Amino acid sequence: MKEPALAYEYGKGLYLNITNKCPTSCVFCIKRKWKMSYRGNDLNLGAREPSLEEVIAQIKNKSSQKRFEELVLCGYGEPTQRFDIIKKLAGSVRKGEIEGLPKDIRIRINTNGLGNLINGYDITPQMKGLINSLHISLNSHKPENWKKLMRPMPQYEKEGFDSVISFIISARSHVDEVVISAVKGLEPDIEGLKKFAEKINVPLRLRPELENEN
Ligand code: SF4
């Protein structure tokens, strides 16, 4: 059986697929429609999540063939479900322990922002010096609409939205680039969302819904 891709290329980045666990079921998620495949890469990890060593082996393999501008934690799952692995991996990179990879390579996490609630503490201070960028899929500035769009698991429904906002605000002190994103056409009050982003002083990126590209 073909092994899933733990590291896959997209643009100038090397993307890392470390988990399929996710506390949300976003209305715009394409993992089912695209059958866990992303542009020719099988991201279905099955029952077993990869070890740090397995991820590092694939990074070494890919970066021996090509120079990447960034590492991106992003797959069909929420990367902060494995924050311990992220910390260890980024720590190794920063110490220059991963052959073929510059130790100052940019490291980004694409996240739904629930990392604090998932881990039970504010994880953002631990990103300092390790993570350069956080792209947080917020989609709405209104708790009710956020719930409709993100469809969190029951245990994340009550505190989810507020926790994501605290995560964003706290991250600004520890991570150089914090961006919130929204899929175009899902939040009816887009001007309100823009004003909210301005109020919390975080840039907003509107992105098209991924549909029929795969
Ligand atoms: S956070 Fe990502 S993986 Fe999880 S449901 Fe949403 S789009 Fe899919």
Side-chain angles (χ1 to χ4, degrees), residues 14 16 52-64 67-68 71 85-105 107:
L14 184 60
L16 307 175
L52 176 63
E53 291 70 28
E54 287 169 317
V55 176
I56 289 178
Q58 284 217 14
I59 296 175
K60 280 185 185 163
N61 182 304
K62 293 278 184 187
S63 48
S64 68
R67 201 168 177 84
F68 296 99
L71 287 183
I85 292 277
I86 294 178
K87 274 190 297 183
K88 285 182 191 153
L89 173 64
S92 272
V93 174
R94 297 300 177 230
K95 283 187 211 145
E97 290 172 353
I98 303 186
E99 223 178 285
L101 211 62
K103 65 180 179 184
D104 59 351
I105 191 166
I107 303 180

Side-chain angles (χ1 to χ4, degrees), residues 22 24-26 29 76-77 112:
C22 190
T24 53
S25 178
C26 311
C29 185
Y76 288 145
N112 59 21

